[in-house]
Amino acid sequence: MRADVLAAAAGVLMSGGVGGFTVEKVIAASGVSSATIYKHWPSRGALALDGYLHAVGDEIAVRDTGDIRTDLEHMVVAFVRMASREPEGTVFAQLIGAAQTDQELAAQFDHHYFGPRRREAFALLATAKERGQIRADTDFGVLVDLIWGACYIRLLLPHLTDQLTDAFARQVVTQALSDVLVDPALP
């Protein structure tokens, strides 16, 4: 049942965007009752986000290769590739916009997307710090915000979305790490 609802939600969302997404359309596409949907998803936005995450999967998974620059580049390149695809990038930007006025969607974003990814990035940075790759006084919050903030500004401003490229992702990581690497000459 859950997989059917998520597949239906993903289909409705990807074909019509956030503006065309309704619980009624998901009910029609999945054959599940509204009571069942609202039992598992507290709002239209929460269902839309779950459908989105079902559609795109976990492309931005953290990996620890032992090289903080490589690991961060992997994450950011994966994100910009997802954000550059249509309809995925546009729908993601729409969901972020909708979260500004939908408290349930904002909470779901924090619980299922932003929160876990931020914690994963902090853990990766903590490991790099333990290895002596980055300075002990590095503020993980500022570093993560520098990297992801640059990506999100380009995602959310339509005239900049074409600049979400692999080269941009690598440059953002290089610039963000330039002041925190113990030895900037490291690969």
Side-chain angles (χ1 to χ4, degrees):
M1 179 274 317
R2 183 171 175 80
D4 293 336
V5 172
L6 290 175
V12 170
L13 183 64
M14 293 302 178
S15 66
V18 171
F21 184 86
T22 65
V23 173
E24 291 74 23
K25 288 179 182 177
V26 175
I27 290 168
S30 68
V32 174
S33 73
S34 63
T36 299
I37 292 206
Y38 285 112
K39 178 181 174 185
H40 297 282
W41 291 276
S43 71
R44 169 185 168 271
L47 177 58
L49 178 62
D50 246 6
Y52 180 82
L53 295 175
H54 177 78
V56 300
D58 195 12
E59 299 176 20
I60 310 168
V62 173
R63 64 179 187 171
D64 184 356
T65 65
D67 177 349
I68 190 62
R69 181 190 311 270
T70 298
D71 297 340
L72 289 173
E73 283 180 359
H74 169 78
M75 289 172 56
V76 180
V77 166
F79 174 79
V80 299
R81 287 180 180 172
M82 180 277 300
S84 298
R85 283 195 317 261
E86 286 302 328
E88 291 92 338
T90 298
V91 169
F92 191 64
Q94 292 171 353
L95 284 166
I96 292 170
Q100 305 312 300
T101 57
D102 180 339
Q103 290 181 332
E104 276 298 328
L105 176 55
Q108 293 297 317
F109 251 128
D110 187 49
H111 183 71
H112 294 292
Y113 188 81
F114 294 120
R117 279 162 181 77
R118 191 170 179 85
R119 287 187 296 276
E120 290 171 349
F122 278 33
L124 194 65
L125 292 167
T127 301
K129 182 173 144 181
E130 289 169 11
R131 289 183 183 129
Q133 293 178 329
I134 61 175
R135 291 188 353 221
D137 65 344
T138 300
D139 183 323
F140 296 166
V142 170
L143 185 57
V144 167
D145 291 348
L146 285 170
I147 293 169
W148 293 107
C151 295
Y152 284 111
I153 196 72
R154 291 200 179 185
L155 171 69
L156 296 174
L157 296 176
H159 68 283
L160 296 177
T161 55
D162 63 335
Q163 295 176 25
L164 275 171
T165 64
D166 290 8
F168 165 77
R170 289 184 184 92
Q171 184 178 16
V172 165
V173 170
T174 296
Q175 290 294 312
L177 289 177
S178 68
D179 192 43
V180 301
L181 286 179
V182 170
D183 182 357
L186 291 174

